[in-house]
Amino acid sequence: MFSQLARRGILLLPAIMMAGCNTIVMNPSGDIAAQQSKLIVISTLLMLLIIVPVIALTFFFAWRYRQSNTEAQYEPDWDHSTKLELVIWGAPLLIIIALGMLTWITTHTLDPYRKLSRLDETRAIPANVKPITVEVVALDWKWLFIYPEQGIATVNELAAPVDVPIHFKITASTVMNSFYIPALAGQIYAMPGMQTELNAVINKAGDYEGFSANYSGAGFSDMRFKFRGLSNEDFAQWVQTVKTNQPALKRAEYLELEKPSIKDPVRRYATVEADLYHAILNRCVVDGQVCIDKLMSTDLNVKSAANGKFSNLLAQNQQAGRGPLAEICTTPTTTTGK
């Protein structure tokens, strides 16, 4: 009796352990995440085609060729079988080819920079639907979301209309971080001075969890936010609520917000300085700082001018019949007499 209960307990143990797991990755609410979950399932099944037979054969051989089994054929001089070699090498090779093709296709299809071509597997994007843009800034240790088209901003709260493509522009203020909403799409890194992008769509209304998926310091574990999927009417109402009786987000307010803090509450800003995200991205929020894009543009112009002057000198030397570096390498000299 006890042995039967023990066996049943062992069989039920995996199910009991999995009961507390959050399987949102395998049951997402966005089309991109849904495609990624299917990719995980298909890849796992393809690999199990090799793993399961190998494990089963391991137990089979151990049982069949045990010492006490005198009926098993004993062939100590056996060393080769063409048919067995074909199976051993052919099956894994075919699976690798299948996985390679699947990976290549989905790598391009699910490219986060690629604009969406559908809302889900049965619906294309209507011609009159315009994507919404959200500028994401990873701070220490909170998330800033700027809506340039709506002219608002929020901290640790993100909302978007259902069945409307979302174009995320993502950067960070200090250290590298990772923007992740499991129900929506895969994680995307956020890096200071650089911009990454993500195109996604939420297909079901509801509240979902978003968080940092990359360790970034003391407040990392509390760097979480709520992502709200809303109907078009509810989203418009939410935007109007944010615009009502809320402060403005300008450079001075941002510099104060940028300071490290843990467990920040939700904050809302009715207006946002027009070029704030550009300044954050290019590391020039403080007055007097030169933006990275302008600095790179100036450096490029200087190099272009220098290259142009170098090319002109080469052409002049060639026309005069001198060596290509004659004038360039000539240095002034002085003579002294005794």
Side-chain angles (χ1 to χ4, degrees):
M1 179 68 178
F2 177 77
S3 60
Q4 290 181 352
L5 291 175
R7 291 173 185 173
R8 292 176 182 176
I10 293 173
L11 292 173
L12 291 173
L13 183 60
I16 295 172
M17 294 178 66
M18 290 293 291
C21 295
N22 186 346
T23 58
I24 187 64
V25 173
M26 303 309 297
N27 296 282
S29 300
D31 183 57
I32 296 297
Q35 293 182 68
Q36 291 171 340
S37 68
K38 289 180 180 178
L39 175 61
I40 293 173
V41 171
I42 295 172
S43 300
T44 302
L45 292 176
L46 284 173
M47 289 183 285
L48 286 176
L49 290 177
I50 288 295
I51 295 172
V52 171
V54 168
I55 294 175
L57 287 172
T58 300
F59 286 104
F60 173 75
F61 289 141
W63 173 257
R64 179 173 175 78
Y65 296 104
R66 66 193 186 278
Q67 185 177 5
S68 60
N69 185 11
T70 57
E71 296 180 359
Q73 190 174 359
Y74 180 60
E75 297 181 6
D77 297 326
W78 180 88
D79 64 354
H80 179 73
S81 170
T82 302
K83 293 180 179 179
L84 189 59
E85 291 285 345
L86 288 174
V87 173
I88 291 174
W89 293 104
L93 182 60
L94 291 174
I95 291 175
I96 290 172
I97 292 172
L99 281 172
M101 292 177 60
L102 181 66
T103 302
W104 188 88
I105 293 170
T106 53
T107 297
H108 289 81
T109 303
L110 300 177
D111 181 357
Y113 286 77
R114 181 177 179 175
K115 292 183 179 180
L116 300 184
S117 58
R118 70 182 201 181
L119 295 178
D120 55 37
E121 59 183 354
T122 61
R123 296 179 297 165
I125 298 177
N128 61 341
V129 173
K130 180 183 177 183
I132 180 175
T133 300
V134 181
E135 296 164 342
V136 182
V137 183
L139 304 172
D140 290 337
W141 286 277
K142 48 197 169 285
W143 294 94
L144 171 64
F145 303 104
I146 300 174
Y147 293 76
E149 295 158 352
Q150 288 74 25
I152 61 173
T154 59
V155 173
N156 289 341
E157 182 185 32
L158 174 64
V162 171
D163 291 337
V164 174
I166 314 168
H167 180 207
F168 292 101
K169 298 179 180 180
I170 307 167
T171 189
S173 63
T174 54
V175 300
M176 184 173 76
N177 225 300
S178 181
F179 175 73
Y180 188 29
I181 306 174
L184 181 69
Q187 65 164 336
I188 301 294
Y189 283 108
M191 294 166 280
M194 299 178 65
Q195 177 177 283
T196 52
E197 297 181 24
L198 171 64
N199 288 279
V201 61
I202 191 72
N203 300 122
K204 297 178 183 178
D207 291 345
Y208 306 97
E209 185 178 13
F211 55 88
S212 167
N214 188 76
Y215 180 74
S216 57
F220 156 75
S221 58
D222 294 305
M223 197 171 171
R224 298 174 176 271
F225 62 92
K226 283 295 182 183
F227 170 56
R228 305 177 63 190
L230 305 172
S231 65
N232 288 326
E233 296 76 13
D234 290 340
F235 178 73
Q237 185 177 357
W238 177 82
V239 171
Q240 193 59 41
T241 302
V242 174
K243 289 184 176 182
T244 305
N245 299 324
Q246 302 295 340
L249 181 61
K250 298 183 179 179
R251 296 196 180 205
E253 287 75 15
Y254 170 78
L255 291 174
E256 190 65 26
L257 177 67
E258 189 183 35
K259 295 178 181 178
S261 58
I262 300 175
K263 293 185 178 180
D264 273 56
V266 172
R267 304 184 194 180
R268 296 173 174 178
Y269 298 93
T271 59
V272 183
E273 191 167 326
D275 61 344
L276 180 59
Y277 177 78
H278 174 270
I280 297 169
L281 174 61
N282 289 282
R283 318 289 291 165
C284 56
V285 177
V286 178
D287 291 337
Q289 288 181 327
V290 180
C291 294
I292 292 176
D293 58 345
K294 291 184 180 179
L295 188 63
M296 294 176 66
S297 178
T298 301
D299 184 55
L300 181 62
N301 291 335
V302 170
K303 288 182 178 179
S304 298
N307 290 336
K309 183 178 180 182
F310 184 78
S311 300
N312 291 335
L313 288 174
L314 290 178
Q316 292 173 9
N317 289 339
Q318 186 176 9
Q319 292 176 358
R322 299 193 295 266
L325 301 179
E327 186 176 341
I328 299 172
C329 297
T330 301
T331 58
T333 59
T334 57
T335 59
T336 57
K338 293 184 180 180

